[in-house]
Amino acid sequence: LVMSKLPVQRDWENREFVELVKIDIVKITEFLTTFDIGMRQQLAVVNEKLKRVERKMDFLEARYRTSQGQPATSTEQQYVADAVGGERPPQGIYLETISPGDNLRFPRRGQMVMVHYTGTLEDGSTFDSTIGQDPFEFTLGANQVVAGWEDAIMKMSVGERAKVTIPPELAYGAQGGGVIPPNSTLFFEMELVKILS
């Protein structure tokens, strides 16, 4: 009678062992999946930073060629032509959409808008930001902001977030202003929060 129970006992133990192994495999799989996601996110951040550096280099190269009386190459002028929401006319702003807006409401001159932004210099230092504060309000066409800002905002729809590069001639120019050195290219991350009027 005892001998007849042994295979059953062993079978029960084997099944318990298999279940434990399955649980361990699930835990290992979850760990590897989480690790993989984390690595992918880190790689995405690094790749985005590399792309930003490449864009800045292209932009500065185009500016240098223009300052030397040489035409910027078609690649430098149109390197964002195929990017969704990206555009940069020669010697104009460069706008790259981070997240789209409603694609319905675009501000016009004479309208008051509400904008969140962070502005950085070419060395990456932040010189101004509304993050953690109320959005900035201004009227388009009233000379309350630099020309590059107006160009950018009028290309954005409500709710849109974008990275905007503004050359010196559309910002503070050769004279600079406050903490902004002369001939500075400015980099902004902007969000068109609302059209107020």
Side-chain angles (χ1 to χ4, degrees), residues 29 52 63 77 119 122 137 142 159 162 186:
T29 302
R52 290 182 68 180
R63 272 188 55 209
Q77 291 183 3
E122 293 177 69
E137 298 176 9
L186 305 181

Side-chain angles (χ1 to χ4, degrees), residues 2-12 14:
V2 174
M3 292 296 291
S4 66
K5 288 183 179 179
L6 283 176
V8 176
Q9 180 70 17
R10 285 175 183 170
D11 182 60
W12 179 83
N14 287 340

Side-chain angles (χ1 to χ4, degrees), residues 39-54:
M39 289 299 294
R40 287 174 184 271
Q41 289 173 340
Q42 290 297 320
L43 285 173
V45 170
V46 171
N47 284 334
E48 178 59 28
K49 288 183 178 179
L50 286 173
K51 287 178 183 177
R52 290 182 68 180
V53 170
E54 289 173 357

Side-chain angles (χ1 to χ4, degrees), residues 67-136:
S67 70
Q68 299 298 308
Q70 304 171 17
T73 67
S74 59
T75 300
E76 290 160 355
Q77 291 183 3
Q78 303 297 331
Y79 72 101
V80 291
D82 295 329
V84 176
E87 58 178 287
R88 176 169 60 81
Q91 298 184 346
I93 66 167
Y94 159 40
L95 185 149
E96 179 188 6
T97 298
I98 299 173
S99 58
D102 62 12
N103 287 316
L104 296 172
R105 294 170 291 169
F106 293 84
R108 303 183 305 276
R109 292 188 187 281
Q111 291 185 310
M112 180 176 286
V113 294
M114 183 183 288
V115 178
H116 263 310
Y117 70 91
T118 296
T120 57
L121 299 173
E122 293 177 69
D123 63 3
S125 62
T126 299
F127 63 84
D128 198 7
S129 178
T130 61
I131 302 304
Q133 306 175 43
D134 292 333
F136 176 59

